[in-house]
Amino acid sequence: MSEQPTPELAGIQISSDPERDHEKSGDEEDEVRAVEEEMRQYRNWMDARDSLFRRADQRGISEARIARLMGHSRNTVRKSLGIG
């Protein structure tokens, strides 16, 4: 069977061989691992942020003030506190 050219759509290569789509080079795998690690770090940051929201709320700081000081919307603070 002769290999058919890979079609292009708006400059994006579309593979005609789904089996090869799952193969990644070492560089691509490293990039995937780097992105996954960044996502883990973000998750830890979010957990710490939410904890700080709760501590501030427990000490009587208003939602509006928490939001303003931390650069988030009041809705974000409310959701984190389980209010909204």
Side-chain angles (χ1 to χ4, degrees), residues 26-39:
D27 289 342
E28 288 173 318
E29 287 178 14
D30 290 344
E31 181 63 24
V32 167
R33 279 193 279 279
V35 169
E36 288 175 346
E37 179 56 28
E38 221 175 310
M39 290 166 48

Side-chain angles (χ1 to χ4, degrees), residues 4-70:
Q4 298 204 355
T6 303
E8 281 190 44
L9 178 65
I12 299 171
Q13 290 276 346
I14 302 171
S15 174
S16 57
D17 185 358
E19 292 295 319
R20 293 180 65 204
D21 286 346
H22 299 291
E23 296 174 12
K24 289 186 172 34
S25 71
D27 289 342
E28 288 173 318
E29 287 178 14
D30 290 344
E31 181 63 24
V32 167
R33 279 193 279 279
V35 169
E36 288 175 346
E37 179 56 28
E38 221 175 310
M39 290 166 48
R40 282 186 206 91
Q41 290 173 1
Y42 178 79
R43 171 76 185 267
N44 291 336
W45 176 83
M46 289 292 290
D47 291 343
R49 179 202 74 172
D50 292 351
S51 174
L52 185 53
F53 284 166
R54 285 189 297 279
R55 286 181 29 223
D57 180 62
Q58 289 167 351
R59 282 155 184 81
I61 300 172
S62 72
E63 296 162 14
R65 184 161 175 79
I66 295 168
R68 190 172 47 255
L69 289 170
M70 293 189 66

